[in-house]
Amino acid sequence: MGIHTKIKADPSFPIQEVESCIRSALNEQVEQQNILRPRSTSACDPTIDSLVVVELICAIEETLGVALPASFAPRGGYEDVETCVSELVAETRGVWVNLVKKEQHHE
């Protein structure tokens, strides 16, 4: 279902769907990263690095059928899961609201 179809069906932001998508993709990425780069973590390493954040953004884009700006991936990543989830949900909500406004303007 494309973004336009989703907006017409229900213009409210699908927060539960987005949060579930992020958490699921995050779990998958953490498992893959542990296999690819087993290492001890240092105090300098973020809990969720920027490469993982890019994968999370791709998962959100696929789920919603929308393109998100590259600025969503902060340099260095995130220090904890909850900050990552809450910030990505907030950024995605902002994009969604703008798309809804544009879609409603074109009707």
Side-chain angles (χ1 to χ4, degrees):
M1 179 183 302
I3 186 70
H4 302 291
T5 306
K6 284 188 178 206
I7 289 173
K8 286 183 181 191
D10 183 5
S12 61
F13 179 67
I15 189 167
Q16 292 170 333
E17 184 179 0
V18 172
E19 186 172 337
S20 175
C21 168
I22 294 168
R23 290 186 187 281
S24 176
L26 184 56
N27 287 335
E28 184 179 307
Q29 286 301 312
V30 168
E31 289 174 14
Q32 289 178 4
Q33 294 301 316
N34 286 337
I35 292 169
L36 294 173
R37 295 187 272 170
R39 58 178 161 80
S40 61
T41 57
S42 79
C44 298
D45 292 337
T47 301
I48 303 163
D49 70 23
S50 57
L51 294 175
V52 171
V53 176
V54 170
E55 292 297 328
L56 299 176
I57 291 168
C58 290
I60 296 168
E61 290 177 334
E62 187 175 311
T63 297
L64 294 182
V66 59
L68 302 176
S71 62
F72 272 33
R75 286 187 173 180
Y78 290 101
E79 292 302 320
D80 64 84
V81 171
E82 293 311 312
T83 301
C84 175
V85 172
S86 66
E87 287 188 11
L88 287 177
V89 166
E91 294 283 350
T92 304
R93 181 192 312 258
V95 170
W96 181 270
V97 167
N98 287 334
L99 288 171
V100 167
K101 286 179 184 176
K102 286 180 185 177
E103 187 70 24
Q104 290 172 344
H105 178 70
H106 290 293
E107 289 181 346

